[in-house]
Amino acid sequence: MAGHTYRKGFEKALVEHLHRDGQLWGVAVDDDGVARLRPATTAFELGSTKLPLIPPKKILLPPREAMWHLPPDGAYREPEIQNDKTVLLGILPCDLYALWYLDRVFAEDSSYLKRRQKLVLVGTMCQPSEQCFCPPHASPPPFDLFLAEGCVWAGSSLGQSCLADLADHLDMSESRPLPAELTAGKSDAAPEDLERLFLESRHRPLWKNEAQRCLSCGACSAVCPTCYCYDVVDSAGLDGGVTRQREWDNCFFRNHALVAGGHNFRPDRAERLRFRFEHKYLGFGEMRGEQSCVGCGRCVSACPVDIDLSSLLNRLCGVIQ
Ligand code: SF4
Ligand code: SF4
């Protein structure tokens, strides 16, 4: 993938160009000091490298949404998804990798796919924080356009067509590869025998000791870009119609694994902490063995009692005691 250096004025021209196609979203720091992803104007400056508190999953998987409605006449309806494009500006590599993971989890989910097809991703390089620990990746994340060090790369046909339209702002005589830091990561990959270490750890005091501090507040999952558990709730109207909704759920909540008959598969916090670790580092089903933690560090920042999955990984692997 070859990138081109751009001239002064390119970033502004790009934002204005993308605005013609859809609603712009960017990360801004509000008065309370919290960075949030929210609708932006053409005045948005692409140089920002802030990680928003709630990641882009909130656009693809809204906290609460109707899945379908069945009116009394039986004419099944799915909700309409807005038709305009949503352009996400200044998305950092860890959030782009997180979207790549969600894309595979929700590959057959019609609501997700409709929104995803309308999403335009403009990525940018990060400045690693003290809390983050992204793993190395074998290939770059998905993006339409990616900007770093005064250079721009197109990762889709939409991105290529944008650059063709803005060719006057580019120096086409030189092409550069994507920055090596994009895939290099800041921490080591999880060890190959993690599955064994994890299974053998069931009765180690590690989980119980750490979970004693856990408040089951769920903040870590809420801010995680690859946590996507949802609950399904049906409600019947007085007219006989039924609406099915889904809403964010959280594996740290006490009733997350409560099933009909009253059995709870994970009644204590140690089991719930271990379950979240399993999801983040080992995955489930067809994606078993794939790490979904992109190392953004949001959970570390959000946890009121400093529980850190990467530290648990190091202890599990014997790197630290
Ligand atoms: S587990 Fe924590 S560090 Fe990993 S992706 Fe989720 S929020 Fe980021
Ligand atoms: S944020 Fe910390 S205290 Fe809250 S559920 Fe997660 S690990 Fe437990």
Side-chain angles (χ1 to χ4, degrees):
M1 199 178 295
H4 303 290
T5 50
Y6 55 80
R7 303 192 181 99
K8 196 166 177 232
F10 167 78
E11 293 181 4
K12 189 167 186 304
L14 175 63
V15 171
E16 283 170 3
H17 187 278
L18 292 167
H19 180 54
R20 280 186 235 142
D21 277 343
Q23 166 76 62
L24 302 176
W25 283 63
V27 180
V29 180
D30 288 323
D31 291 344
D32 57 3
V34 177
R36 293 188 176 88
L37 183 61
R38 54 181 164 78
T41 67
T42 51
F44 184 83
E45 291 181 15
L46 270 168
S48 156
T49 58
K50 291 280 177 202
L51 203 60
L53 176 69
I54 305 292
K57 73 175 180 183
K58 74 176 184 181
I59 292 171
L60 294 163
L61 300 165
R64 183 172 291 119
E65 71 169 336
M67 297 173 78
W68 49 255
H69 179 66
L70 193 65
D73 64 9
Y76 172 88
R77 284 202 310 267
E78 287 190 9
E80 288 188 8
I81 305 282
Q82 74 162 46
N83 219 15
D84 293 343
K85 284 195 170 72
T86 301
V87 182
L88 301 190
L89 300 167
I91 303 303
L92 301 186
C94 53
D95 276 352
L96 294 174
Y97 278 115
L99 290 175
W100 182 61
Y101 187 82
L102 293 181
D103 284 351
R104 287 175 295 145
V105 173
F106 289 91
E108 295 177 9
D109 185 285
S110 65
S111 300
Y112 180 95
L113 290 175
K114 282 180 201 159
R115 290 193 179 97
R116 183 66 178 89
Q117 281 153 10
K118 299 286 172 195
L119 207 60
V120 179
L121 298 173
V122 182
T124 189
M125 207 61 215
C126 59
Q127 288 169 343
S129 72
E130 274 179 26
Q131 281 87 10
C132 67
F133 46 90
C134 55
H137 293 273
S139 52
F143 58 78
D144 293 287
L145 291 162
F146 191 82
L147 283 77
E149 301 161 2
C151 202
V152 59
W153 290 262
S156 68
S157 54
L158 186 145
Q160 281 167 354
S161 123
C162 256
L163 294 192
D165 291 343
L166 298 170
D168 287 351
H169 295 266
L170 302 172
D171 177 0
M172 296 294 199
S173 64
E174 187 193 12
S175 58
R176 283 169 50 188
L178 279 164
E181 304 83 54
L182 181 57
T183 52
K186 199 181 154 192
S187 67
D188 294 335
E192 284 185 8
D193 62 345
L194 182 60
E195 176 86 47
R196 177 185 63 79
L197 291 168
F198 177 76
L199 293 175
E200 289 174 1
S201 76
R202 174 155 227 124
H203 301 295
R204 276 183 61 180
L206 171 76
W207 306 107
K208 204 169 176 184
N209 291 348
E210 196 75 357
Q212 275 174 351
R213 304 204 316 275
C214 174
L215 307 171
S216 283
C217 66
C220 49
S221 300
V223 299
C224 178
T226 58
C227 274
Y228 53 79
C229 283
Y230 60 81
D231 195 8
V232 173
V233 181
D234 289 344
S235 54
L238 290 176
D239 64 356
V242 178
T243 299
R244 173 163 291 178
Q245 289 204 110
R246 65 177 168 193
E247 51 195 40
W248 286 6
D249 200 354
N250 199 304
C251 62
F252 269 108
F253 292 168
R254 199 172 174 178
N255 60 1
H256 182 259
L258 181 67
V259 293
H263 180 70
N264 194 330
F265 287 93
R266 289 181 293 281
D268 61 66
R269 284 169 295 164
E271 282 296 325
R272 298 201 284 273
L273 177 62
R274 196 168 174 275
F275 177 81
R276 181 156 192 271
F277 180 95
E278 181 177 15
H279 188 199
K280 297 294 109 179
Y281 283 104
L282 287 162
F284 298 127
E286 288 177 7
M287 294 170 80
R288 186 71 174 180
E290 284 199 47
Q291 177 172 341
S292 70
C293 173
V294 293
C296 67
R298 282 184 177 94
C299 56
V300 187
S301 304
C303 181
V305 292
D306 297 328
I307 290 176
D308 177 349
L309 291 189
S310 67
S311 153
L312 276 165
L313 174 69
N314 286 336
R315 276 184 272 167
L316 191 65
C317 301
V319 178
I320 54 173
Q321 294 304 312

